Amino acid sequence: VKLSLSTLDALPGEVSRPAYARADLSAGILHFGVGNFHRAHQAMYLDRLFNAGQSRDWAIVGAGVFAGEQKGRAVLQEQDWLTTLVEQEADASEARVIGSMVEFVEPADSAAIIARMAEPDIRIVSLTITEGGYFLDSDDNFDPTHPDIAADAATPEQPKTVFGMILAGLRARRDKGLAPFTVMCCDNIPHNGAVTRRTLTGLARLSDAAFAQWVEENVAFPNGMVDRITPGTGDRERRILAEDFGVEDGWPVFCEGFVQWVLEDDFPLGRPAFEEVGVQFVPDVAPFELMKLRILNGGHATIAYPGGLMDIHFVHEAMENDLIRAFLRKLEEEEIIPMVPPVPDTDLHEYFDLIETRFSNPKIGDTIRRLCLDGSNRQPKFIVPTLRDALKQGGSIEGLALESALWCRYCAGTTDSGAEIAPNDPAWDRLVPWALEAKERPEAWLEMKGIYGELGADPRFAEAFARWLRHLWAEGTEATLRAYLGSG
Ligand code: NAD
């Protein structure tokens, strides 16, 4: 059955569908970055709420800044903005149709997006625009020199970036006498609300200091930690959905059963009753996000590059490899977990045990290539901070240095078997020559200040990194992992 509002009743019985009609909903949130994760997470929580008969004035309006997003929008439009979400555990899968999105503004049409944000019904603007989308330098400070930022600063009334558009939306509201919406970041970035505030006010300051001050004083940016492994959608997913569930959906989302959202309660214009459907509200998200970024995202990075270099396709296949699995556990137990400060009501070792099981879930179909993506933006958030702490405290860094060397080796663009790696980072063209130079002169890699900052000059790290990188080039990934596991 081809998914649409008019075919909902005809869907096979095991597919759950909305308990609400479209007419029961009205918009409350405008969301930038309608990709896979948003539809598995925020849109799913809202669907749960709407099913329970609550918060039905908080439906989602999609938005995007790139013309390329028109393709995804067209697919969703054809199915009345509905998405089939397939939640997969090792022993069972469940499919449900999610109807929490009610509109999608034409992507890249900044005038239309700004006008929509300036309507009184929009009380939250949320974002999943990837870790690389926040215009940060190596110290996680706002980078005013980025050409897109310079362009938006020069013509604030015709913005191209998310931040330029949000500023124009806030300004339009202020001119109309409307209170500002809350800006809710849902990307994997430490202190994501604070980072979003810095980028937004940083951009505003470039053209209008008084307005920047007004944003600083009047707009709320709650921090949040989000978690649910959500791979990209491809033909495999569309086929499984059609064969196993009888639903034809042009852009379904597949994810794991596990889901978590820890959020600070700072929403001046109100918010959906998320606490009714499992969202944890806490006074300070910082300990939760640090745990997640370092243990889970750092863990993903740890298995990604050896998996990539050994030509492994799926994440669960990497977890079936004894060397990679043992590398992950040893690195987490000896170097990552000891650097994570205590988290309320959480045993960090149990948290990791659950992650090991989640990574091993064979149903998810998450790919090693997706985990290898965008290392230049991810290493500084998921690995380098642990390394910095371990160096400062005199802890072991052998595994972290090996992880860094594996990333460098991967960026040389070929796997151990000699297969070519297709570009997998926005900075790929710059990374490959550095990685090739590092084969002869390992310290070259650590000169990337944007990634390593001052750590490149740390003799203990530089020595271990160089040793592991040479080992990788000389003997390959398997032998190098074996050497690491046999040591200490
Ligand atoms: P995706 O590729 O499906 O969607 C990303 C969306 O962001 C797309 O709509 C894209 O056009 C838009 N985008 C990309 N760069 C942008 C930029 N510079 N400015 C504005 N928009 C931009 O990816 P996804 O799986 O939805 O993941 C998105 C983000 O969600 C991740 O980067 C991460 O921060 C967070 N997240 C993802 C997962 C996951 O498992 N996929 C889990 C937790 C958190």
Side-chain angles (χ1 to χ4, degrees), residues 24-42:
D24 299 332
L25 305 183
S26 58
I29 301 175
L30 182 134
H31 182 79
F32 284 102
V34 182
N36 294 300
F37 176 66
H38 167 74
R39 294 181 302 144
H41 196 260
Q42 187 180 321

Side-chain angles (χ1 to χ4, degrees), residues 105-119:
V105 190
E106 189 67 38
D109 183 345
S110 58
I113 296 170
I114 294 162
R116 193 65 189 87
M117 280 189 278
E119 295 294 326

Side-chain angles (χ1 to χ4, degrees), residues 10-91:
L11 293 179
E14 75 266 31
V15 179
S16 328
R17 65 212 80 184
Y20 48 89
R22 186 55 56 84
D24 299 332
L25 305 183
S26 58
I29 301 175
L30 182 134
H31 182 79
F32 284 102
V34 182
N36 294 300
F37 176 66
H38 167 74
R39 294 181 302 144
H41 196 260
Q42 187 180 321
M44 181 284 306
Y45 278 109
L46 285 167
D47 176 71
R48 275 190 194 169
L49 262 179
F50 300 164
N51 277 336
Q54 299 196 53
S55 305
R56 287 180 172 176
D57 57 340
W58 286 101
I60 297 162
V61 177
V65 299
F66 299 132
E69 291 174 74
Q70 274 153 3
K71 201 167 144 229
R73 179 186 184 275
V75 173
L76 291 177
Q77 183 173 35
E78 205 168 294
Q79 50 198 52
D80 303 318
W81 318 122
L82 296 170
T83 285
T84 319
L85 180 66
V86 183
E87 299 170 323
Q88 299 194 299
E89 282 306 318
D91 46 5

Side-chain angles (χ1 to χ4, degrees), residues 143-182:
D143 175 9
T145 63
H146 193 288
D148 295 353
I149 288 295
D152 274 11
T155 52
E157 61 295 338
Q158 283 174 320
K160 297 228 157 35
T161 71
V162 169
F163 300 97
M165 290 189 199
I166 293 179
L167 284 176
L170 286 168
R171 190 189 287 273
R173 290 179 81 95
R174 195 183 59 162
D175 293 348
K176 280 182 168 181
L178 284 176
F181 43 71
T182 298

Side-chain angles (χ1 to χ4, degrees), residues 257-418:
F258 180 89
V259 62
Q260 190 175 21
W261 196 359
V262 187
L263 199 52
E264 290 171 3
D265 200 354
D266 185 11
F267 293 84
L269 292 191
R271 60 164 173 79
F274 282 132
E275 70 280 6
E276 300 290 331
V277 287
V279 178
Q280 289 162 263
F281 282 93
V282 298
D284 180 13
V285 159
F288 293 90
E289 68 188 5
L290 199 93
M291 164 183 81
K292 194 258 174 171
L293 294 169
R294 293 189 177 191
I295 300 180
L296 185 137
N297 298 109
H300 262 159
T302 301
I303 58 175
Y305 300 110
L309 289 167
M310 289 157 76
D311 300 308
I312 295 175
H313 184 74
F314 285 117
V315 174
H316 69 270
E317 292 170 340
M319 292 300 287
E320 283 163 7
N321 179 293
D322 291 341
L323 289 171
I324 295 179
R325 194 183 181 90
F327 174 45
L328 174 66
R329 186 161 271 277
K330 183 170 156 85
L331 177 53
E332 292 271 7
E333 285 181 343
E334 294 181 3
E335 300 182 22
I336 296 179
I337 294 173
M339 291 299 135
V340 177
V343 181
D345 304 322
T346 310
D347 177 319
L348 296 179
H349 290 278
E350 282 172 15
Y351 179 75
F352 171 66
D353 290 344
L354 178 60
I355 283 171
E356 192 179 57
T357 311
R358 292 168 62 196
F359 287 2
S360 306
N361 181 341
K363 291 294 239 351
I364 308 260
D366 200 6
T367 61
I368 287 292
R369 188 173 159 78
R370 186 185 82 92
L371 302 192
C372 290
L373 173 77
D374 205 10
S376 65
N377 280 304
R378 291 180 172 179
Q379 292 279 312
K381 300 197 169 54
F382 304 158
I383 296 290
V384 176
T386 306
L387 188 56
R388 185 171 287 122
D389 286 355
L391 286 166
K392 221 183 283 164
Q393 298 178 28
S396 166
I397 55 143
E398 281 300 306
L400 293 163
L402 172 52
E403 193 285 334
S404 308
L406 284 158
W407 175 50
C408 172
R409 170 65 190 82
Y410 179 87
C411 292
T414 49
T415 71
D416 280 353
S417 71

Side-chain angles (χ1 to χ4, degrees), residues 33-38 65-66 69 128-133 162 186-188 226-231 292 370 378:
V34 182
N36 294 300
F37 176 66
H38 167 74
V65 299
F66 299 132
E69 291 174 74
T128 49
I129 55 169
T130 80
E131 293 84 10
V162 169
C186 298
D187 273 302
N188 278 327
V226 295
D227 193 6
R228 175 167 245 190
I229 296 172
T230 311
K292 194 258 174 171
R370 186 185 82 92
R378 291 180 172 179

